[in-house]
Amino acid sequence: MIPYVRDIDVEYGRCDHVSPLIRRVTANNPGPFTFKGTGTYIVGRGEVAVIDPGPDDPAHLDAILSAVQGEKVTHILITHHHSDHSPLAGPLKARTGATVYGCAVAGHEMEDTGEVRMEAGHDHDFRPDISVCDGGVVLGRGWTIDAIPTPGHTSNHICYALREENACFSGDHIMGWSTTVITPPDGDMTDYLRSLDDIRARKFDVLWPTHGPPVREVDAFIAAYIAHRQERVDQILGALKAGPARINELVPRLYADVDSRLHPAAARSMLAAMIHLVRKGQLAADGAPGPESTYRLAG
């Protein structure tokens, strides 16, 4: 069982001092993909970085600017291009002159399938001023942040590590309130599992997700995240022992205890696992693995 952490005191627009160097302002965009809303982080004092400014919401922009009144925003850091994370970067840059850091993604990789909506949407216009697709160090007055490429949830996901507090801003890569959605073609399960191992190996004291409260038992939480993914894989492999099947045949069996309205989303998640298992040589598909393919145990 994943030890979810969901207890968070939210007042939209309020600036909460959550650590010596970190403040958080939560946007009023609660929902099935955002939990209580987008938590925008402000790092430092005097000259600050803003992480994931959030949706293009004038009220949230005003709340961020009020929180940093008398200070200078020098850096804007984006974890990925979803519309609950990056769109406000442009308006915030226009008001502050800050430099935007992040990783751009090719347009074709952002295309939605149209079959089922599993995320808040894409910010197709996101283009950082400085790319950190390959990692890098971002320096400010009194703080040092390492950009860590963590593809999986999206191909361009970046986590940001605050050295001074051994803390990681984990975006949607690891969230305390829910598992992370992996939706092909931009989402990739193989990349995601590798990225989880990378973050776990760094032994952070705390994770600050963009949605929800911090994760403080980091190693145990990531271990449970990994175990959950393995459990889903084991279920697929076990089901296919009965013979070849398509995803739309497996989902009602493996998600029998889940509301059928959520089965389309489960099918997209299962596709990510299928692609991963074909790559590992544990499954075979009739052609390139896709939503309509028939899958069987390899060998």
Side-chain angles (χ1 to χ4, degrees):
M1 296 289 290
I2 298 174
Y4 291 117
V5 284
R6 294 172 171 144
D7 186 16
I8 183 171
D9 175 26
V10 170
E11 180 180 322
Y12 298 117
R14 182 182 69 196
C15 180
D16 296 316
H17 293 253
V18 296
S19 84
L21 284 176
I22 303 170
R23 289 166 277 175
R24 181 179 59 219
V25 181
T26 302
N28 188 5
N29 63 331
F33 310 117
T34 59
F35 192 43
K36 301 295 184 180
T38 295
T40 297
Y41 293 101
I42 301 166
V43 179
R45 294 288 185 274
E47 294 185 2
V48 305
V50 172
I51 300 176
D52 278 354
D56 190 1
D57 175 5
H60 189 52
L61 175 62
D62 288 344
I64 294 170
L65 293 174
S66 176
V68 299
Q69 188 172 7
E71 301 176 287
K72 181 175 178 60
V73 178
T74 54
H75 302 72
I76 300 170
L77 310 180
I78 304 298
T79 61
H80 63 297
H81 65 279
H82 282 157
S83 60
D84 51 327
H85 292 255
S86 59
L88 202 61
L92 183 60
K93 175 184 176 178
R95 295 286 295 273
T96 64
T99 301
V100 179
Y101 293 72
C103 179
V105 63
H108 71 278
E109 293 177 322
M110 292 197 295
E111 291 178 0
D112 293 315
T113 65
E115 297 173 11
V116 58
R117 190 179 182 201
M118 292 183 66
E119 270 298 339
H122 296 302
D123 177 8
H124 292 272
D125 296 326
F126 174 63
R127 297 290 184 276
D129 299 316
I130 295 180
S131 175
V132 289
C133 291
D134 296 323
V137 180
V138 184
L139 297 172
R141 180 186 292 178
W143 52 264
T144 310
I145 290 177
D146 295 296
I148 308 169
T150 46
H153 173 63
T154 62
S155 58
N156 68 333
H157 197 286
I158 305 291
C159 289
Y160 294 98
L162 177 60
R163 292 185 188 177
E164 286 77 7
E165 296 190 2
N166 194 33
C168 178
F169 299 96
S170 58
D172 284 357
H173 184 59
I174 303 168
M175 300 181 292
W177 75 281
S178 175
T179 54
T180 297
V181 172
I182 312 295
T183 308
D186 193 38
D188 188 286
M189 186 67 73
T190 306
D191 287 344
Y192 182 70
L193 294 173
R194 187 183 302 118
S195 297
L196 279 181
D197 287 337
D198 188 9
I199 294 299
R200 188 181 185 188
R202 293 171 184 261
K203 300 186 182 304
F204 291 110
D205 291 331
V206 59
L207 305 178
W208 294 99
T210 299
H211 309 290
V215 175
R216 299 191 183 277
E217 301 295 330
V218 176
D219 188 72
F221 193 88
I222 297 177
Y225 242 45
I226 294 170
H228 169 76
R229 298 292 178 180
Q230 186 59 49
E231 181 182 4
R232 287 300 189 194
V233 164
D234 291 342
Q235 289 175 341
I236 292 170
L237 295 174
L240 289 176
K241 288 180 180 178
R246 298 167 67 183
I247 289 174
N248 63 0
E249 297 167 336
L250 292 173
V251 166
R253 292 159 54 187
L254 300 186
Y255 291 84
D257 59 342
V258 173
D259 188 329
S260 61
R261 291 173 296 181
L262 300 177
H263 284 185
R268 296 299 299 172
S269 180
M270 187 178 289
L271 174 59
M274 293 297 199
I275 294 170
H276 172 65
L277 290 170
V278 169
R279 283 194 192 126
K280 291 183 67 179
Q282 292 182 264
L283 293 185
D286 55 349
E292 303 300 325
S293 301
T294 297
Y295 296 90
R296 60 185 57 82
L297 296 178

